Structure formats: C-alpha cells, structure tokens
Amino acid sequence: MAAPAEPFLRIEGVSKRFGSFQAVRDVTLDVAKGEIFSLLGGSGCGKTTLLRMLAGFEEPSAGRIFLDGRDMAGVPPWNRPVHMMFQSYALFPHMTVERNVAYGLKHEPMSRSAKAERVREMLELVQLTPFAARKPHQISGGQRQRVALARALARQPKLLLLDEPLAALDKKLREHTQFELMSIQQRTGVTFIVVTHDQEEAMTLSDRIAVMDKGEVRQVGTPNEVYEFPNNRFVAGFIGSINTFEATVIAREGGALRLAVPAFGAEVLARDVPGVSPGQAVTMALRPEKAGISRTRPETVNAFEGTVKDLAYFGKDSLYRITLPSGTLVQAHAVNARRGAEVADWDDAVWLGFEPESVLVLAE
Amino acid sequence: MNRRPVFLITVLCFGFAFFYIPILSMIVYSFNASRLATVWGGFSTKWYVSLMSNRQVIEALMLSLKIALVSATIATILGTMTGITLARFGKFRGRMLFTGLVTAPLIMPEVITGISSLIFFILMADWIGWPGSRGFTTITLAHITFSMVFVSTIVQARMLQADRAIEEAAMDLGSRPWQVLFDVTLPVISPAILSGWLLAFTISLDDVVITSFTTGPGATTLPLLIWSKVKLGVTPDINALATLMVLTVGMGVVVAGIVMNRAEARRRADERMAYRSND
C-alpha cells in the first residue's frame, strides 16, 4: 500500500525534548482519512509523547502538525477536533455512564434533545444502554473501556487517539474488544491513531504501523510490510521472533543474492534487495515459521543438516531449536497439522530447508 | 490460641482507664447536687438548667460557632486553592521554599503564631487605623491563617493521589481549565475538602492560645470562658457544659461512623454488581 495521496494528518519533522532528554526525534508521518494507524514500540520509545502532542497536551519543540490542512501549533486541547481514549480510561468517577458520554457535548451548539439523542446513539453503539445510570465503579473493566470510547466519539472527532486501548483488559476480552474496535471504526469512519507496545495488537488492528525506537520512526508500513519486509534489524527483531546471522554478500545472480554465512558453514541464496553490493557485511534473517523441518533432504535451494536440541510443544504448533554443525542454534516453527505426526523428537537428525524468498537481507 | 496474652489486656485496660476515667468522672459530677465539685451531694440536673439560662455561656457558644463557621469556610476556600496549586503547578523556582512556607505553621508553636498575629494587628491599627478594636474579626482572621494550612495539606495529598488523566480528559473533551476545575477536580476531591473544613472547624472551636492573643474586650469564645471560669475553681456548671460538648462530639463521631459504614457496604454491593455484569 502506497502512502496516502492526500494526507489527512501530517506530522512534519516533529521533535520533543524534555530538558536534555530527546523524547521524539524528527518524526515525519502522513495518515490518511479513515485509517487505523498504530504507533508501535517499547516503553520510552516516544509513542505516547507523540500522541500527547497530537492531543495538544504537549507542544512540539520543533516541527509542525497539520490536521485536515490546519496547523495545530498553539491550539489548546479544548479547541482541537481530536479526542483521546486514555489508557486508564480516565472516566469521571462522580458522573453516571450517561453523563460521562454527554460531557463532551456540553460545549456543542446543539439542542438538548439532539444531545440526548447523540448520547443514546453512542450508548447503543457500544452496547451500554442498560448501564446508562450506573457510575464507573459499578461496571466492569471491559464496560469502562467502552464508556471511554463512547465518550471520546460522542463529539464526532476528526481524529481519535487511543492510548494502549486494550492493555487493561484480560486476554480473552482483549481479542473480542479488538474486533469490536475495528467494527466501530468502520461504522463511524473516524481516523484512529493507536499507541501500543503489543505487536500482535498492532498487527491485527492497524491499516498501517509506524515502528518507533528511541524517539525515532524506524519503519512505516502495512502489517504485512513490516513483518515480511522489515528494512532494519530493530524492526525485524521487534515484530515477531526471528533468527539472525552475520553474513557477507558474495555475488548477485539472477535476481538473488549469494551470501556467505559462517553459521551455516555454507552459502545461502537470498531474495535480492536493492542497496547492497558484493563484499558488503549484512545480516541474514529468517523467521522461524519460514524454516521447514524434515527427516529427508528437502527440495528447497537452501537445505542444511542439524540436530534437534530442544522442542517446545504448544498444541497447534511446535517450536524446534536445531543445532547446526557450527554450533549455532536456529529456531523453526512447525504446524502440527496431523495428529501423532510430529516431525522430529529430541536429538533427531533433521534437515532445515527454506526458500530464497523467505530470507531477509538487512544492510543496516 | 484463643488465650490472649494477659500483659496486652492489662496494658489495654490501663490505656483506656487513663483516657476515659477523667471524662467519666466529669460526666458523673455534672449531675452532682452539691456546689463543691469534688463532694458528692446526690443526683441533680440543676446545673444543666442553670447553664441554659446563663446568657454568658450561650453568647460565648454562639460567638465560638460563628467564628468557627466563618473561619473554617474561608480557610477551606483559601486552603483548597493553595493545595491544588501546590499539587498541579509543576516545577518552578523556589517551589521547595514555597511548600515549606505553607507547612511551617503546622509545627510553629501556637504561642508564636498568637503573638505574631497580635503584633500584626497592632501595627496595622497604627498604620491604617484598622482594626480599631480586636474581637470577632481579628480572631477569625487569625484562625483562618493557621487552619488553612491543614486544609491545604489534606487537599494537596488528595490531589497527588488523583489520576491526572481525568482532568486531561475533561480538557480534551472541550473544557477550559477553569471549567475542568469546577466540573471534575473539585467534585473528585470534595471528600478531602469536606474533611479539611471539619478539621478547620474543630481547630477553631477549641482554640484557646491564639484566640486569647487576638481577642479584645467583649469577645469571649467558649474555650476562653471555660478557661477563665476554671481559674476561679471548677464549678459543676462547667462540668455540665463540658459533658454537653463531649456528648455532641461523641454523637458526631457515631454518626460519621454509621455513614462511613453504610458507604462501605454500598461500595461492596456495587462491586458485586460490577462483577456479576462482567461480560
């Protein structure tokens, strides 16, 4: 997916320092209208600071933010068509669910009946109509999350900011809520910016993801792009698990790269990537699920012998740790498609096979 | 296991005896028919009757209540403002000094506060001719200055506990900072404000030292009256007055306890309800 044609939200060279600490460093991002865009990164990567700058709680030290063509510099939070769903939900404890949802409409030039109608609509959207008269401490965590969502959506913001929207929910509720969030986003058409540290959450929710580290955006792309085609070692390692090996480019031949990989004690054929030249030291990366395990030599171009050192059985799949003759460990995931037909056991000699297409070459 | 240590029980009994025997004996002797405070002369309620017809006592009580009401209310307003500012103003130069200045009166000996208030009022009267005479106004002002510190300390503690995001959420939803204050901040910290007011009221009601420095002719509060009467010897009507005060305070404590118990029970019920409706 290409970058959006007309950016709805444009973040242009935005930086933020707190004293001597650089929280956000020269971030430039375009977000299209109606997109679910995630800021993904570990704690302290600057994602929350960036979100707070969009909400207007912090002013950028440098750079500008445009929303729908309007420069947001100096616009206070109460004048921004941007609403936020806080990680703690930040519901008003002394107000009922209904009054919480109605709070944002207080300042809207609408008739009383129109406001009541909007509140009713919002409560219906998040299926909380029966709980309208309850106080926040009288409802469950999942319901609180939905009140926070309804409250933030009631004023029909141009942009909805969600700070770790699912972090406070237990695992089962999280999956359900994830799909609910997506369906509400589709029904309302509001642009969502989601801050999360959970890569799975970002992958399932988002149209596009910006992976952040130490205040910088390291890669922007669709979930598929950042997973299958990470353009640096950080993104490759942060999203999913991955095997990485030191390698040297030997030659470029017929749309593929020939790599010398000491860990394999042999040459590996990899998908060609631009920007590398023979003789260059690179990182070769391989996702565990892309490495196949078999008892006989596979038909793939890259095939290596090894021994099963460890195996973890998860039920639907198993994770194997294969020792190569060089002593290097390689992780490989195998789906247990047939009952009782697991590929190998401890200390078995096996073959490891993978296609050149599956091998990532990271220049950085 | 159910044999409690004898030593602990003894200590507990001594503690309670030490604390309550004086109060109990005072209550008993308030029903003494004899004029002599320490000689039992039979049961009588005549001191209560004489108390009710004692204009001096009633006037002193009314003045004390008036001062306590006004000073507690103004101290609560000022103290709440200070507490919120200290908790929310962020870092600024001299913040530590400022915080220290606010809490210093908490540990300042009352005599010092009283004397400095008195000197201040005398100087003011010299410079601008106000206050012309000391009485209700000067006592109230002095009470405000030292009781607002208690309010600001309580409010500040509550503010530091509160989730900052709640105020940000209100701002995010279109409210200006002053609207946020009235819509969200004050309602959320209202229990702290109420307990601050109660504390300020109580402190003002039973203050002797600062009041005696800042009072003037004709302005005698109840504690001052009791103090001056006792100097002439303890009479049974003072016992009766003190008993009434103990009764009032005791009832206040019991009512507060019942209200808090009910609130706790309701909170538990609410939590059960939330648990049941969990989906």
Side-chain angles (χ1 to χ4, degrees):
Chain A
M1 189 169 137
E6 42 161 270
F8 177 65
L9 170 71
R10 185 172 181 84
I11 300 171
E12 210 176 78
V14 164
S15 294
K16 178 72 186 177
R17 2 175 96 259
F18 295 104
S20 61
F21 176 65
Q22 181 102 38
V24 173
R25 200 186 299 264
D26 195 23
V27 168
T28 298
L29 287 173
D30 285 340
V31 178
K33 199 180 173 92
E35 221 179 347
I36 301 186
F37 190 92
S38 288
L39 300 170
L40 174 65
S43 62
C45 75
K47 58 192 194 298
T48 301
T49 307
L50 191 57
L51 198 74
R52 290 176 61 83
M53 285 193 278
L54 293 176
F57 296 128
E58 312 280 356
E59 278 290 317
S61 311
R64 293 195 293 175
I65 295 167
F66 294 94
L67 179 62
D68 212 1
R70 183 176 162 213
D71 190 348
M72 286 285 127
V75 180
W78 52 88
N79 282 338
R80 292 193 183 206
V82 174
H83 292 327
M84 182 146 156
M85 199 178 106
F86 290 80
Q87 184 173 4
S88 63
Y89 309 146
L91 299 180
F92 307 129
H94 57 294
M95 296 184 192
T96 60
V97 166
E98 191 172 18
R99 284 192 54 216
N100 261 285
V101 175
Y103 187 82
L105 301 175
K106 216 175 104 150
H107 311 287
E108 292 287 282
M110 296 165 72
S111 72
R112 191 179 288 256
S113 61
K115 283 180 188 178
E117 175 59 24
R118 174 78 58 77
V119 172
R120 205 187 53 75
E121 249 170 56
M122 284 299 130
L123 288 175
E124 213 154 87
L125 181 72
V126 296
Q127 298 158 32
L128 279 176
T129 314
F131 302 97
R134 295 229 188 143
K135 294 269 183 75
H137 68 272
Q138 294 171 323
I139 56 178
S140 69
Q143 291 165 342
R144 269 176 230 168
Q145 194 254 15
R146 274 143 56 195
V147 177
L149 184 65
R151 183 179 70 175
L153 283 172
R155 248 181 127 197
Q156 295 178 324
K158 287 184 177 174
L159 193 62
L160 184 72
L161 311 172
L162 301 99
D163 189 3
E164 302 276 3
L166 307 172
L169 304 177
D170 56 51
K171 192 173 171 1
K172 221 171 173 182
L173 197 54
R174 206 172 330 173
E175 279 168 19
H176 172 76
T177 311
Q178 219 164 46
F179 290 111
E180 205 174 63
L181 267 183
M182 288 163 79
S183 99
I184 286 174
Q185 194 271 341
Q186 273 164 14
R187 269 182 283 166
T188 54
V190 175
T191 310
F192 276 26
I193 307 261
V194 181
V195 152
T196 178
H197 68 278
D198 183 330
Q199 38 128 338
E200 261 178 56
E201 189 178 309
M203 301 284 277
T204 42
L205 267 180
S206 326
D207 293 319
R208 288 193 305 146
I209 300 173
V211 184
M212 292 184 71
D213 179 41
K214 297 190 188 102
E216 282 176 277
V217 171
R218 303 301 302 273
Q219 185 171 2
V220 184
T222 62
N224 182 266
E225 279 166 357
V226 293
Y227 186 77
E228 299 291 359
F229 306 102
N231 54 20
N232 57 68
R233 217 177 308 182
F234 175 79
V235 174
F238 190 80
I239 308 215
S241 51
I242 200 156
N243 299 293
T244 54
F245 314 95
E246 300 296 319
T248 314
V249 181
I250 297 174
R252 176 173 270 132
E253 49 187 54
L257 286 174
R258 186 170 289 281
L259 306 173
V261 187
F264 286 91
E267 290 181 0
V268 173
L269 219 56
R271 192 180 71 95
D272 197 1
V273 289
V276 295
S277 48
Q280 192 179 339
V282 293
T283 300
M284 172 204 150
L286 182 67
R287 298 256 180 226
E289 76 277 9
K290 303 277 195 293
I293 301 176
S294 52
R295 288 186 173 278
T296 53
R297 191 192 160 94
E299 287 165 12
T300 51
V301 184
N302 299 307
F304 304 93
E305 278 182 288
T307 318
V308 175
K309 181 168 183 280
D310 249 330
L311 103 83
Y313 176 74
F314 298 123
K316 69 177 190 297
D317 52 12
S318 297
L319 181 69
Y320 293 86
R321 291 183 1 130
I322 312 289
T323 321
L324 298 176
S326 71
T328 312
L329 280 175
V330 181
Q331 294 198 343
H333 237 141
V335 177
N336 299 321
R338 285 178 55 197
R339 199 190 298 171
E342 288 79 26
V343 189
D345 216 332
W346 269 276
D347 298 327
D348 281 0
V350 289
W351 282 86
L352 200 64
F354 47 91
E355 297 293 343
E357 267 306 301
S358 306
V359 181
L360 291 163
V361 176
L362 304 168
E364 198 193 315
Chain B
M1 279 306 283
N2 57 8
R3 257 197 65 213
R4 293 195 177 83
V6 177
F7 175 73
L8 284 185
I9 293 174
T10 318
V11 169
L12 186 73
C13 290
F14 263 107
F16 273 113
F18 191 73
F19 195 69
Y20 281 105
I21 284 177
I23 294 175
L24 277 176
S25 62
M26 182 193 75
I27 291 174
V28 169
Y29 275 95
S30 73
F31 294 102
N32 191 357
S34 160
R35 250 213 94 72
L36 295 164
T38 48
V39 180
W40 185 253
F43 181 85
S44 161
T45 54
K46 66 177 177 184
W47 302 115
Y48 287 90
V49 177
S50 84
L51 201 63
M52 288 306 137
S53 52
N54 189 335
R55 278 188 58 93
Q56 210 188 0
V57 168
I58 303 293
E59 268 170 25
L61 176 69
M62 290 323 280
L63 180 69
S64 274
L65 287 176
K66 218 164 84 182
I67 290 171
L69 215 64
V70 174
S71 73
T73 306
I74 297 176
T76 301
I77 294 168
L78 293 177
T80 303
M81 280 158 56
T82 316
I84 292 175
T85 311
L86 281 179
R88 285 291 180 264
F89 212 71
K91 282 183 187 153
F92 59 90
R93 258 178 114 79
R95 188 201 156 98
M96 273 298 283
L97 179 73
F98 192 67
T99 312
L101 283 177
V102 170
T103 43
L106 280 176
I107 49 165
M108 190 84 79
E110 273 191 78
V111 180
I112 307 291
T113 314
I115 278 190
S116 50
S117 303
L118 175 64
I119 292 170
F120 171 74
F121 288 133
I122 292 170
L123 285 177
M124 287 289 282
D126 264 5
W127 289 340
I128 59 168
W130 178 92
S133 70
R134 288 186 292 283
F136 171 78
T137 314
T138 50
I139 297 171
T140 308
L141 282 176
H143 283 193
I144 291 168
T145 54
F146 78 92
S147 57
M148 72 167 270
V149 176
F150 291 88
V151 181
S152 77
T153 309
I154 293 174
V155 168
Q156 189 187 352
R158 179 70 191 87
M159 285 294 286
L160 292 175
Q161 253 178 36
D163 184 5
R164 185 85 215 255
I166 293 176
E167 288 165 275
E168 285 181 341
M171 223 185 272
D172 186 64
L173 290 165
S175 290
R176 274 147 214 281
W178 64 268
Q179 290 166 322
V180 175
L181 181 72
F182 285 100
D183 287 353
V184 176
T185 315
L186 290 179
V188 166
I189 62 168
S190 59
I193 296 175
L194 182 66
S195 55
W197 186 90
L198 280 172
L199 190 62
F201 184 83
T202 326
I203 291 171
S204 167
L205 201 61
D206 72 2
D207 178 75
V208 176
V209 180
I210 291 171
T211 311
S212 64
F213 278 105
T214 51
T215 187
T220 309
T221 62
L222 196 60
L224 282 188
L225 180 74
I226 295 174
W227 179 247
S228 64
K229 275 181 157 245
V230 167
K231 275 194 283 194
L232 305 172
V234 180
T235 54
D237 60 340
I238 295 296
N239 282 345
L241 183 58
T243 302
L244 286 179
M245 286 175 86
V246 167
L247 206 69
T248 315
V249 172
M251 258 160 49
V253 171
V254 169
V255 168
I258 290 173
V259 168
M260 266 159 65
N261 264 341
R262 283 219 182 130
E264 176 66 17
R266 200 170 46 226
R267 197 181 60 76
R268 287 223 190 99
D270 284 348
E271 263 168 18
R272 274 200 300 276
M273 185 158 76
Y275 186 72
R276 269 206 305 275
S277 62
N278 207 333
D279 56 343

